[in-house]
């Protein structure tokens, strides 16, 4: 299915600012659809004026649909639907005409012009399934009256509100709770869900007949000048979204001024009880903070262990013992680097390129002669359970390359290369560590070597990471270590 942008640019003469207005309308029109109990289809005239193209469609959450099929992308010749022509040419809401029959279902069709800065950009076809029509309740009458007011605002270019970008996934919906106010802010109608939300905030009486702004301000824990601002916002004087926490309840509000003829006649206030949602969010924030604090403390403890091992190494007279402790210091240090990075993140994932650079710099400190290290390619973002063992593997491989590939006075290079994914390697990470040192001894088998560092590499790569490890002579000179690891795709 083509996108709204593609349809507008392919078939119409609308500019970018007009397209942005239509996007803003489409982001808001679920409200109109739910209040109307009707499907909405947005039709825009083509560049030559001979046809209409449907660029967006919305089905109601409050009633049955009139369209089983998707209408987006359909082209209709001008003249086939006279109500579209009348709404576009005359710039008024058109309701004349008998119901249409679609698959033995009667459908009432209305046309609402979409106006911006005095120009009609297109027409909304509002289609109501009449099969389940019955005597409407007070709630349904309030919905329909509010829908009529919004439709008139759209036709006048007063809705949506250009200075307010609404996230409809996070904002209250019609079914969450609805309050209808008059021009003075007095409650004319409150849906059962809206009344339950106010009871959650501590209201013991009915809402109807009360001033919503003052009632809300009295329930809120704040006092003083804030009350006056809150009372005005809650009365629906301006389009606003806000939250109030009171009496162990958190209620989300959205105020929509109603100005069907240019003058404010009242307001529509949508509200939702988000108490449990906010409680879970706070628990997650607390959990994230705890996890980060744990990583921070682990990093500090590892650095303390490394410092103690370093002190102990200075006191050992045996050269081999001192080298063994210094290797242990670097192993502990590589793990500490990962925990330090995790302590700064909100999730258990890290950007491994920074870790690889720090490990390379740390190991390069032991390099004999003038050996330099560099990294090419990107490791990308890795899960913590991959990053920790991989940092140790990288430390061991680099340490092995520097210690056994070069002697004092040598010059050379150790390069770490990372290739993430690809068309034939989705979900894989290929790491290559190559030096231009003396190379491998004749008959050397990395899979049978008793060297502690290579034993650690084999265990971590094949056991923990589920990958493969190989050490072979480099194409020209030196040694090449190849790691092939499964990793989760980046997002």
């Amino acid at each position: 299915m083509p996108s709204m942008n593609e349809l507008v640019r392919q078939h119409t003469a609308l500019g970018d600012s007009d397209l942005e207005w239509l996007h803003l309308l489409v982001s808001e029109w679920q409200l109109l659809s739910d209040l109307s109990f009707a499907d909405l289809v947005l039709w825009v005239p083509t560049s030559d004026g001979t046809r209409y193209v449907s660029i967006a469609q919305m089905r109601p959450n409050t009633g049955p649909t009139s369209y089983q099929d998707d209408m987006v992308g359909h082209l209709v010749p001008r003249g086939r639907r006279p109500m579209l022509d009348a709404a576009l040419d005359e710039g008024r809401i058109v309701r004349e005409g008998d119901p249409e029959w679609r698959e033995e279902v009667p459908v009432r069709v209305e046309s609402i012009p979409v106006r911006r800065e005095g120009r009609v950009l297109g027409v909304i076809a509002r289609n109501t399934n009449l099969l389940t029509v019955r005597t409407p309740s007070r709630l349904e009458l309030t919905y329909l009256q509010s829908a009529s007011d919004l439709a008139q605002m759209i036709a006048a270019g007063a809705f949506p509100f250009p200075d307010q970008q609404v996230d409809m996934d996070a904002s209250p919906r019609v079914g969450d709770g609805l309050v209808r106010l008059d021009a003075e802010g007095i409650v004319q109608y409150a849906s059962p869900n809206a009344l339950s939300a106010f009871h959650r905030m501590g209201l013991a009486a009915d809402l109807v007949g009360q001033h919503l702004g003052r009632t809300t301000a009295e329930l809120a824990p704040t006092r003083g000048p804030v009350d006056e601002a809150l009372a005005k916002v809650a009365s629906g004087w301006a389009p606003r979204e806000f939250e109030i926490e009171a009496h162990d309840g958190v209620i989300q509000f959205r105020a929509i001024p109603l100005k069907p003829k240019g003058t404010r006649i009242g307001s529509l206030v949508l509200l939702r009880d988000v108490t449990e949602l906010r409680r879970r969010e706070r628990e997650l924030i607390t959990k994230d903070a705890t996890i980060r604090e744990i990583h921070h403390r682990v990093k500090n403890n590892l650095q303390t262990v490394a410092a103690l091992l370093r002190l102990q190494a200075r006191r050992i007279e045996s050269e081999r013992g001192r080298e063994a402790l210094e290797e242990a210091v670097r192993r502990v240090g590589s793990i500490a680097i990962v925990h330090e990075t995790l302590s700064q993140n909100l999730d258990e994932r890290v950007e491994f390129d920074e870790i690889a650079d720090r490990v390379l710099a740390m190991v390069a400190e032991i390099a004999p002669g003038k050996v330099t290290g560099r990294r090419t390619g990107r490791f990308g973002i890795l899960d913590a359970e991959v990053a920790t063992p991989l940092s140790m593997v990288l430390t061991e491989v680099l340490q092995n390359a520097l210690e056994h590939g070069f002697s004092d006075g040598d010059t050379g290079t150790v390069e770490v290369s990372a290739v993430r994914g690809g068309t034939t390697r989705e979900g894989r990470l290929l790491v290559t560590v190559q030096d231009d040192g003396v190379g491998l001894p004749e008959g050397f088998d990395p899979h049978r070597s008793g060297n502690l560092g290579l034993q650690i590499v084999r265990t971590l790569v094949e056991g923990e990471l589920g990958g493969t490890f190989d050490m072979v002579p480099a194409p020209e000179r030196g040694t090449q270590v190849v790691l092939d690891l499964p990793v989760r795709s980046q997002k």
Side-chain angles (χ1 to χ4, degrees):
M1 181 184 297
S3 69
M4 182 171 166
N5 286 356
E6 292 171 343
L7 289 170
V8 168
R9 287 172 180 146
Q10 179 181 355
H11 295 285
T12 79
L14 297 178
D16 290 341
S17 57
D18 293 333
L19 178 57
E20 185 61 32
W21 180 264
L22 295 180
H23 273 294
L24 187 60
L25 171 66
V26 168
S27 71
E28 291 267 33
W29 70 345
Q30 180 74 65
L31 175 63
L32 177 63
S33 178
D34 290 345
L35 289 172
S36 305
F37 308 98
D39 291 76
L40 306 178
V41 179
L42 178 55
W43 297 93
V44 178
T46 57
S47 302
D48 58 9
T50 62
R51 294 180 297 176
Y52 297 95
V53 58
S54 59
I55 64 172
Q57 178 179 359
M58 178 58 65
R59 293 184 174 92
N61 293 319
T62 52
T65 183
S66 302
Y67 286 111
Q68 299 299 326
D69 299 327
D70 288 327
M71 296 295 297
V72 176
H74 283 215
L75 289 164
V76 174
R78 185 177 172 89
R80 179 175 295 179
R81 299 192 177 184
M83 295 178 70
L84 291 182
D85 299 338
L88 183 70
D89 297 338
E90 301 172 22
R92 66 180 179 88
I93 299 175
V94 180
R95 296 190 175 94
E96 300 87 0
D98 296 327
E100 297 180 3
W101 287 84
R102 299 176 188 162
E103 298 180 357
E104 299 184 355
V105 175
V107 177
R108 182 175 65 241
V109 181
E110 303 166 272
S111 296
I112 305 167
V114 178
R115 191 183 304 272
R116 175 179 179 266
E117 297 180 352
R119 297 164 39 245
V120 178
L121 306 182
V123 179
I124 296 175
R126 181 163 56 177
N127 303 268
T128 306
N129 186 324
L130 299 178
L131 195 61
T132 58
V133 168
R134 53 186 172 77
T135 303
S137 64
R138 178 73 188 280
L139 179 144
E140 292 167 333
L141 288 173
T142 303
Y143 276 22
L144 293 171
Q145 180 58 55
S146 301
S148 176
D149 294 335
L150 282 178
Q152 292 181 61
M153 290 172 66
I154 292 173
F159 187 84
F161 305 109
D163 56 346
Q164 187 188 39
Q165 188 69 39
V166 177
D167 181 2
M168 292 305 296
D169 291 333
S171 295
R173 294 177 180 267
V174 170
D176 295 326
L178 178 144
V179 178
R180 174 81 187 220
L181 309 179
D182 64 13
E184 302 301 321
I186 305 300
V187 177
Q188 295 180 310
Y189 176 78
S191 71
N193 284 346
L195 191 58
S196 296
F198 268 85
H199 288 166
R200 183 73 178 260
M201 293 174 60
L203 180 69
D206 192 1
L207 266 178
V208 176
Q210 298 198 43
H211 189 280
L212 186 69
R214 287 196 290 268
T215 300
T216 305
E218 290 171 0
L219 293 172
T222 55
R223 292 291 178 265
V226 177
D227 283 357
E228 297 179 8
L230 178 60
K232 192 168 184 178
V233 170
S235 298
W237 286 92
R240 293 286 186 274
E241 284 197 28
F242 59 97
E243 284 188 9
I244 294 177
E245 182 170 358
H247 200 71
D248 297 327
V250 183
I251 308 301
Q252 183 181 22
F253 289 76
R254 183 188 178 196
I256 304 170
L258 297 176
K259 303 176 181 179
K261 297 181 180 179
T263 302
R264 181 175 170 276
I265 64 167
S267 304
L268 200 62
V269 178
L270 305 180
L271 49 96
R272 178 173 60 164
D273 186 347
V274 293
T275 306
E276 293 304 314
L277 178 62
R278 296 295 178 259
R279 181 184 62 80
R280 289 196 297 270
E281 288 177 351
R282 288 168 184 165
E283 288 178 352
L284 289 174
I285 291 172
T286 302
K287 183 179 178 181
D288 288 340
T290 302
I291 291 173
R292 280 187 286 172
E293 178 62 21
I294 290 172
H295 284 304
H296 181 71
R297 294 190 182 188
V298 169
K299 182 264 296 183
N300 288 344
N301 290 339
L302 289 172
Q303 289 180 337
T304 301
V305 171
L308 292 174
L309 290 173
R310 199 175 290 112
L311 286 173
Q312 186 67 37
R314 293 172 185 169
R315 295 174 179 270
I316 290 182
E317 297 180 359
S318 168
E319 184 68 23
R320 292 187 62 185
R322 185 161 54 252
E323 290 176 356
L325 285 177
E326 288 174 350
E327 287 182 3
V329 168
R330 286 187 286 275
R331 288 165 184 154
V332 172
S334 66
I335 302 174
I337 291 172
V338 177
H339 282 282
E340 181 180 2
T341 306
L342 288 169
S343 70
Q344 300 168 2
N345 293 345
L346 292 176
D347 56 13
E348 291 290 286
R349 308 187 75 190
V350 296
E351 178 63 62
F352 197 80
D353 295 320
E354 179 186 351
I355 294 174
D357 291 341
R358 293 179 63 180
V359 168
L360 190 58
M362 177 181 69
V363 175
E365 294 176 359
I366 67 166
K370 297 182 180 179
V371 181
T372 58
R374 66 169 179 263
R375 173 179 62 85
T376 60
R378 290 192 68 249
F379 287 86
I381 298 173
L382 298 177
D383 294 334
E385 57 264 27
V386 175
T388 301
L390 182 56
S391 68
M392 288 194 65
V393 168
L394 199 56
T395 300
E396 296 298 332
V397 172
L398 288 170
Q399 188 169 293
N400 189 75
L402 293 171
E403 287 185 352
H404 301 288
F406 303 94
S407 303
D408 291 338
D410 288 349
T411 60
T413 303
V414 177
E415 179 177 318
V416 178
S417 171
V419 178
R420 183 75 176 265
T423 54
T424 60
R425 293 184 51 79
E426 186 66 31
R428 307 292 296 185
L429 171 63
L430 184 67
V431 181
T432 305
V433 180
Q434 182 171 314
D435 65 69
D436 54 4
V438 297
L440 295 172
E442 188 174 345
F444 178 80
D445 185 354
H447 298 285
R448 295 182 179 273
S449 171
N451 179 287
L452 176 60
L454 291 181
Q455 289 182 16
I456 292 174
V457 171
R458 287 197 301 268
T459 300
L460 292 176
V461 171
E462 298 172 0
E464 286 200 35
L465 297 174
T468 60
F469 155 73
D470 201 6
M471 180 182 285
V472 297
E476 296 182 2
R477 182 180 179 223
T479 305
Q480 186 180 77
V481 176
V482 180
L483 309 173
D484 191 347
L485 311 171
V487 292
R488 194 168 75 176
S489 299
Q490 288 181 272
K491 293 183 179 180

